[in-house]
Amino acid sequence: PLHLATDGIYARSTVHGLTSGSGPNLAAKASVAVSATVENTATTAEADAKVVFDLFDATGTGVGSAAVKLQVAGAANSSAPATASGTATLRLSRPARLWAPAHPVLYTLRTRIGGDEVNTSVGIRSTNWSSTTGFWMNEEKVKIRGFCNHNTFGGLGMNLPDRVNLYRAQALRGMGANAWRTAHNPPEPGLLDILDRVGVMAMDENRIFTAGTTPGQFGFGHGADYGKVAMLSLGSRLPSC
C-alpha cells in the first residue's frame, strides 16, 4: 500500500563554487536538495515509511546518499490515498561535473521505499540572470539560441514517439541552437529527458485562457526540477497581459 507518488520526486542542485577544470571537465562543490511524496492506499492506521535517496555519477559510482523517515496516515478510502512528503540534502562526496549544452553531464537519483524504486536524471549546474549582461550558466555567459516547438509533428499529430522528439532535438543542435520553448503547454517528461541528454535548455511553458489568473495559480509539475530548464513561463497569450 505504501509507494512513491507519480511525479512525486523533486531534485534541485546548488553549486557552491567552481573548483577546477573547464568545458566538459568543469567541476564544482555541489549539493542536491531532494524530496519525495509517499502515498498510502491502505485504509488502516498510519504507516511508517523510510525513503532512501542515492545519487550516482555517469559511471554508476555513488556520490551521495540520505534517508528520511515518514509517518503516513491511513487513506480515507481506497481511491483517495493519504500522502506525506520528506526532504533531504545530498552533499556530493567529490566535485561535481556540471551540466551545460556543450557537455550535458547527468547524474542519476535513485529514490526507494520498500520495493518501490524510481530513477531520476539530475543535471547539476548554476544559473543566473542579469538585466545588463544576460544569462549565465556555470559562471559563463551563454547566448540562448532556440525555437518555439509545438507538441505536434506533421503526419503524426500530438501523440509523438520519443524517437521523433529525439530527431527534432538533434536537428536543433545540429544547426547551432541550444534552446527549446515548449509552446504552449507543459512538456511531457519524455521530452525533457531527451533534452537533458542532448544538451538543450528548455523554456517550460504553461498556458491558460482564463482572465484574471495570477502566477501562483500555475503549476509546472515534473518540469520544474530538470537540469536544463532555464526558464519557467507563467503563461502564453493571457487575456490579462
Side-chain angles (χ1 to χ4, degrees):
L2 284 175
H3 59 272
L4 296 167
T6 301
D7 292 334
I9 311 300
Y10 184 92
R12 184 174 183 85
S13 63
T14 300
V15 173
H16 301 287
L18 303 184
T19 57
S20 62
S22 61
N25 297 314
L26 186 64
K29 295 180 179 178
S31 60
V32 179
V34 296
S35 68
T37 299
V38 176
E39 292 183 341
N40 183 13
T41 56
T43 55
T44 54
E46 67 181 14
D48 293 327
K50 181 180 180 181
V51 182
V52 179
F53 302 97
D54 294 294
L55 189 67
F56 301 91
D57 65 16
T59 68
T61 302
V63 294
S65 63
V68 59
K69 294 182 178 180
L70 302 173
Q71 285 188 325
V72 191
N77 56 68
S78 58
S79 60
T83 64
S85 298
T87 62
T89 299
L90 307 180
R91 300 192 180 277
L92 275 70
S93 59
R94 63 187 67 180
R97 293 183 61 200
L98 303 184
W99 188 99
H103 40 90
V105 178
L106 291 173
Y107 289 75
T108 299
L109 172 67
R110 185 181 67 193
T111 306
R112 292 178 293 142
I113 174 173
D116 193 10
E117 178 178 309
V118 174
N119 289 329
T120 307
S121 293
V122 177
I124 298 175
R125 83 288 184 269
S126 66
T127 59
N128 182 56
W129 288 90
S130 168
S131 60
T132 56
T133 59
F135 178 65
W136 294 73
M137 177 176 283
N138 304 331
E139 298 186 14
E140 295 181 356
K141 188 174 181 179
V142 176
K143 184 74 172 181
I144 296 176
R145 301 180 176 90
F147 300 89
C148 300
N149 291 281
H150 290 80
N151 189 36
T152 58
F153 195 80
L156 295 176
M158 297 186 68
N159 189 18
L160 299 184
D162 285 344
R163 184 64 185 86
V164 173
N165 279 327
L166 175 60
Y167 162 76
R168 298 169 78 190
Q170 290 173 331
L172 182 149
R173 290 294 285 137
M175 65 178 66
N178 61 9
W180 179 302
R181 176 190 173 198
T182 65
H184 299 276
N185 304 282
E188 61 177 343
L191 172 60
L192 293 177
D193 286 333
I194 289 169
L195 301 185
D196 252 344
R197 299 197 309 269
V198 175
V200 178
M201 297 178 291
M203 178 179 177
D204 189 343
E205 185 164 278
N206 211 325
R207 186 180 192 183
I208 195 166
F209 292 101
T210 305
T213 302
T214 63
Q217 292 173 267
F218 289 92
F220 293 99
H222 54 260
D225 65 320
Y226 275 78
K228 98 317 284 125
V229 174
M231 291 180 281
L232 295 175
S233 169
L234 293 180
S236 170
R237 303 177 184 175
L238 280 174
S240 56
C241 292

